[in-house]
Amino acid sequence: MTYYYSKTSDLPFAEAVARTREALTDQGFGIITEIDVTNTFKQKLNVDFRPYVILGACNPKAAHEALLQEDKVGVMLPCNVIVQQLAGGGGSEIAAVDPVASMSAIQNPGLKAKAGEIGASLRRALDAI
């Protein structure tokens, strides 16, 4: 079992980030965290790294339902989505966590069903980019 969904695109990095945000919004997600990995590595490690961002996507309704079923599931939220520039700058890769894989350690059938629904929404978002 893989732990993520991904796709590559000919879109330049900045446009891929913008389109990813739009696609997630269209599927009911909000971006509640954003980590600019490139900038963080440069500031903290003085290391150059390809353009890479981690978006913390949250569907509030689904998160609420999940927390009602399992109060510690918050340690696995939000759903992380990455956008990174491909080698040579010739496009981008967009990848999202597979919630079913990340929730597999929790023995709660209702939560697994909810993870499947969220996973389907994330796949639709990636497909729309």
Side-chain angles (χ1 to χ4, degrees):
M1 172 187 289
T2 185
Y3 61 94
Y4 64 92
Y5 316 111
S6 72
K7 74 175 287 182
T8 57
S9 170
D10 292 335
L11 293 172
F13 176 75
E15 188 175 345
V17 172
R19 294 273 306 274
T20 300
R21 287 177 178 283
E22 291 170 17
L24 289 167
T25 298
D26 289 347
Q27 289 298 317
F29 293 92
I31 305 302
I32 59 172
T33 62
E34 181 173 344
I35 302 167
D36 182 337
V37 174
T38 308
N39 187 45
T40 299
F41 284 179
K42 188 63 175 176
Q43 287 186 359
K44 303 292 183 181
L45 304 173
N46 197 29
V47 172
D48 292 324
F49 196 75
R50 69 187 170 279
Y52 191 114
V53 66
I54 302 169
L55 303 173
C58 179
N59 179 310
K61 182 178 184 295
H64 178 248
E65 291 169 1
L67 286 164
L68 290 175
Q69 292 186 40
E70 190 78 38
D71 69 336
K72 309 299 185 293
V73 77
V75 301
M76 297 182 171
L77 301 177
C79 295
N80 283 332
V81 178
I82 66 159
V83 182
Q84 65 177 320
Q85 183 174 294
L86 294 173
S92 301
E93 178 184 27
I94 303 97
V97 67
D98 176 355
V100 173
S102 67
M103 300 289 177
S104 66
I106 302 172
Q107 300 304 311
N108 182 324
L111 192 58
K112 288 184 184 192
K114 182 55 58 186
E117 293 171 21
I118 293 300
S121 293
L122 289 169
R123 281 191 302 277
R124 284 192 297 274
L126 264 63
D127 288 345
I129 300 168

